[in-house]
Amino acid sequence: MKKVVSVVEDILSANDRLAELNRSRLDRSGVFAINVMASPGAGKTSLIVRTVEALKTEFRIGAVNGDLATTIDADRIANTGIVTVQVNTGGACHLDAPMLQSALAHLPLDELDLLIVENVGNLVCPAGFKLGVHRNILIASVPEGDDKPYKYPVMYQDVDALVLNKIDVLAAFDFNIDYFRRGVEILNPNLAFFPLSCKTGEGLAAWFEWLRNEVRGYVSGRTGADR
Ligand code: MG
Ligand code: ZN
């Protein structure tokens, strides 16, 4: 039992060391990176496509798309015209730091301001594997139900921003947004919360504004450090 635990710890600490190298690599090129996590069908790709369309005139954006086997999502993102690297996880249900390291080697990092990483659709283990990005984003969606923060606390604990997608169907799914929010606040009182609909566009502006400020804050912080 003790040995099993230490093996898992070794794997995670090896991953964390590589995540730190990824962060250094990103910082060397001045690329602000976000990791987008969610269960399958919550709208990761839809939010990424909307975000790229809204911000691509302000920032030079690249994407990494983690997927079990297909290139459907990567193709959708690449259709926005930005450079996109597909990571085929070969069945692994999350991205890890070595996979992101490989993807970074295929990106023109010196020509990017923002890198959006779409993790594999999974609400369980992506949170356990640090990638070295600057912010972690979780997308929940109304059809999944308002009890998800209570059932998957680990996913909600360490993220910096939470998007609640598909608010256009709140009534149809009898989703209690106050109950959902209370569950989130117990776990992570300081996170930024964005209820929105990628379909109707409602609420998207607040999310764009938050991300815009995060990227600008990163860029200006670096400029300050260089002086
Ligand atoms: Mg997707
Ligand atoms: Zn996994």
Side-chain angles (χ1 to χ4, degrees), residues 43-61:
K44 291 184 296 302
T45 310
S46 298
L47 184 73
I48 291 168
V49 167
R50 285 284 209 158
T51 303
V52 168
E53 282 167 352
L55 299 182
K56 71 181 177 186
T57 57
E58 291 169 59
F59 303 116
R60 300 167 299 172
I61 309 175

Side-chain angles (χ1 to χ4, degrees), residues 43-55 139 163-167 193-212:
K44 291 184 296 302
T45 310
S46 298
L47 184 73
I48 291 168
V49 167
R50 285 284 209 158
T51 303
V52 168
E53 282 167 352
L55 299 182
I139 307 177
V163 168
L164 176 62
N165 189 22
K166 310 189 189 181
I167 58 167
F193 180 52
F194 304 101
L196 55 79
S197 166
C198 287
K199 192 174 173 191
T200 66
E202 184 184 357
L204 278 172
W207 155 252
F208 296 152
E209 187 59 16
W210 180 83
L211 184 55
R212 177 183 287 125

Side-chain angles (χ1 to χ4, degrees), residues 116-127:
I116 303 178
V117 179
E118 176 175 350
N119 215 308
V120 180
N122 179 353
L123 255 195
V124 180
C125 49

